[in-house]
Amino acid sequence: MSISLRPVTESEWSGWMTVEEEAFGAAVPPHREKLFRGTTEFDRSLGAFEGDLLVGVTSVDSLTMTVPGGPIPVGGVTAVGVLPSHRRRGILSSLMTRQLADVRERGEAVTALYASEAAIYGRFGYGRAADSMFFTIPTSGTAFVRNAPADPALRLRVVRPDEARSVFEKIFETVRGDRPGLYERTPARWDVVLSDHEADQRGAGPLRAVVVEDDDGPRGYAIFRTKQSFTDHDVPDGEVRLRELYGLDPAAYALLWRHLLDRDLMSHVKASYRPSDDPLIHLLAEPRRLNAGWLDDLWIRLVDVERALAARRYSAPVDVVIEVEDTVCPWNARRWRLSADTSGARCTPTEDPADLTLPVAVLGAAYLGGRPLAAPQAAGVLRESRPGAVRELSTAMSWEPAPWGGLMF
Ligand SMILES: CC(C)(COP(=O)(O)OP(=O)(O)OC[C@H]1O[C@@H](n2cnc3c(N)ncnc32)[C@H](O)[C@@H]1OP(=O)(O)O)[C@@H](O)C(=O)NCCC(=O)NCCS
């Protein structure tokens, strides 16, 4: 039977849930289902149907994401799954191709996603644009460097997460524009951040939070869980599990971390999905105690190269002709002249000879500013025709701080 594609309607929600549960091999508890539904835009969903049976699905969340220079609309690709009975028949490929065409038609130039497996999305033109770190920090021996910032005006306040939501929202809104990858949070997205169902606790207690503030108001917050535990010899062995931590300035940031590392009866702090340039790395006198690992974070796809490259800002003036290879979105596959200076950027089609040639995924990986181009050049996936062109483009596209999505969608 042939497969047809169309948006999934609200009345087909249970079929959608069946696909998700079968594809991911896990039940979706009712509270998670409710949260997921709360962020779902049905008109931006896409189902693959065999007759009436939903066999594959994906959806897009309309995000406003920070890119170098400011926020732009970005399609947040989510909920990708294919029924195990129908895998490896090209269903994901047809969903991805159609979704990218829909996104372009809607006027969004960029899509982003988090990948369950890193091998899936490169073939569709997505590039690994950001990394995140995970830490398991033993609380002993975590002194800060001598010149760690401190502000005597700052104090800590223990708050109930459900009562301090507006404080969190305000602080997050202030920091969101600083880091490429962070995106605006709708109320439904905040419901996800603050979800505190017992099933989310995985052996730890309810969500806890602290706010740091001075006389003028809040300057940062941390949301976390604690898990009480003692060894067989009654030595405290508790765990702090960080959900998120944002500070408006270095002193607020340092105090929040100091608090997490100093809580009584806790032997270690676990923090996942931290930015790859987390300031904590520079605060700890012995950064090896982070026991850090890393993971791919956001993947970025330039759906419309012309508009995407013109939409961001650049760290240095640049004037290069880029030959883009793109079989999935053929409208991108041509030569583009990117010219940028401090007043803005222009990207226009050109017949001039290419200075460099690269797959669209490499451009997507570099888009948020955290992926220098020398490495893909050394790997042979990017070819330079004019000496110096790769360095010129790489320098111009680089940006600080490092990109990071902050919250999986
Ligand atoms: C990942 C998934 C969506 C792929 O769907 P699918 O319909 O089987 O994919 P397709 O048949 O269109 O595959 C297209 C290509 O990608 C490859 N591919 C698909 N899934 C892959 C994976 N997990 N790892 C590596 N390659 C993969 C296929 O081999 C195929 O390659 P080919 O073109 O060289 O033959 C599906 O297996 C699934 O639902 N997995 C579990 C849930 C999940 O991980 N979802 C992604 C969430 S981010």
Side-chain angles (χ1 to χ4, degrees):
M1 206 186 254
S2 67
I3 301 289
S4 58
L5 305 183
R6 64 165 171 83
V8 184
T9 63
E10 295 207 35
S11 64
E12 290 163 326
W13 180 251
S14 72
W16 186 336
M17 280 299 105
T18 301
V19 173
E20 297 297 335
E21 293 197 345
E22 290 289 341
F24 286 92
V28 181
H31 78 285
R32 282 267 143 210
E33 183 178 333
K34 196 168 160 223
L35 291 167
F36 176 30
R37 195 168 173 143
T39 57
T40 294
E41 297 172 43
F42 281 89
D43 60 328
R44 302 204 69 184
S45 68
L46 190 60
F49 291 84
E50 188 179 56
D52 289 338
L53 181 68
L54 183 62
V55 296
V57 70
T58 177
S59 195
V60 179
D61 294 345
S62 307
L63 304 179
T64 300
M65 184 177 279
T66 302
V67 304
I72 65 166
V74 165
V77 173
T78 186
V80 175
V82 169
L83 266 190
S85 51
H86 289 67
R87 65 192 285 281
R88 306 304 181 264
R89 293 192 206 167
I91 291 176
L92 175 65
S93 306
S94 56
L95 286 168
M96 287 276 111
T97 308
R98 166 77 176 272
Q99 184 180 62
L100 289 166
D102 290 351
V103 166
R104 181 187 183 223
E105 203 169 300
R106 193 185 167 99
E108 282 164 346
V110 177
T111 50
L113 57 78
Y114 282 89
S116 64
E117 291 185 278
I120 301 175
Y121 294 101
R123 74 190 66 238
F124 303 117
Y126 283 85
R128 201 164 45 83
D131 294 327
S132 58
M133 316 263 302
F134 49 95
F135 305 140
T136 304
I137 316 168
T139 51
S140 59
T142 53
F144 280 171
V145 292
R146 281 198 188 160
N147 58 351
D151 181 348
L154 274 179
R155 53 186 182 261
L156 280 159
R157 183 161 55 97
V158 172
V159 294
R160 280 188 48 157
D162 53 343
E163 290 173 0
R165 178 170 168 149
S166 62
V167 174
F168 306 153
E169 288 176 350
K170 206 167 156 215
I171 287 168
F172 180 77
E173 262 310 290
T174 312
V175 298
R176 170 169 75 82
D178 293 341
R179 186 182 285 278
L182 291 181
Y183 59 92
E184 191 176 1
R185 291 181 180 172
T186 58
R189 197 72 63 183
W190 276 104
D191 290 344
V192 174
V193 175
L194 296 175
S195 170
D196 199 17
H197 194 272
E198 212 176 322
D200 298 326
Q201 296 180 2
R202 290 179 297 114
L207 282 182
R208 304 182 188 284
V210 290
V211 169
V212 287
E213 58 195 5
D214 60 16
D215 288 345
D216 293 330
R219 281 168 47 185
Y221 69 88
I223 307 173
F224 54 96
R225 298 183 192 282
T226 52
K227 182 184 178 190
Q228 191 195 56
S229 179
F230 290 87
T231 67
D232 292 345
H233 298 92
D234 245 3
V235 176
D237 191 22
E239 177 176 295
V240 176
R241 256 182 233 164
L242 181 62
R243 173 159 289 188
E244 65 176 27
L245 180 156
Y246 289 99
L248 296 184
D249 55 85
Y253 197 86
L255 182 58
L256 287 165
W257 267 110
R258 196 63 268 156
H259 173 74
L260 296 180
L261 294 165
D262 285 349
R263 281 184 79 102
D264 286 336
L265 308 182
M266 300 294 133
S267 67
H268 57 282
V269 177
K270 280 198 168 187
S272 312
Y273 294 103
R274 299 300 305 158
S276 60
D277 59 352
D278 196 321
L280 179 64
I281 301 165
H282 301 273
L283 279 171
L284 283 187
E286 172 50 295
R288 281 186 202 165
R289 295 184 78 80
L290 290 166
N291 292 302
W294 66 272
L295 207 63
D296 50 284
D297 194 76
L298 283 174
W299 290 67
I300 294 287
R301 211 296 175 195
L302 303 193
V303 182
D304 184 324
V305 164
E306 180 173 8
R307 293 181 45 238
L309 290 184
R312 56 157 285 179
R313 305 301 288 263
Y314 294 82
S315 289
V318 65
D319 184 29
V320 285
V321 175
I322 308 169
E323 172 121 37
V324 175
E325 299 167 333
D326 192 345
T327 51
V328 181
C329 299
W331 53 85
N332 288 328
R334 60 161 304 140
R335 289 194 289 283
W336 301 97
R337 177 174 292 279
L338 171 67
S339 315
D341 57 27
T342 45
S343 64
R346 278 183 351 117
C347 181
T348 45
T350 180
E351 300 304 327
D352 292 345
D355 294 327
L356 61 129
T357 304
L358 44 64
V360 72
V362 172
L363 215 46
Y367 188 69
L368 295 181
R371 216 49 100 190
L373 294 174
Q377 184 183 20
V381 294
L382 177 166
R383 298 180 303 283
E384 183 177 71
S385 331
R386 173 172 65 78
V390 170
R391 182 180 291 267
E392 193 186 314
L393 180 61
S394 186
T395 303
M397 292 189 84
S398 69
W399 200 264
E400 287 187 287
W404 174 62
L407 178 67
M408 210 176 273
F409 49 82

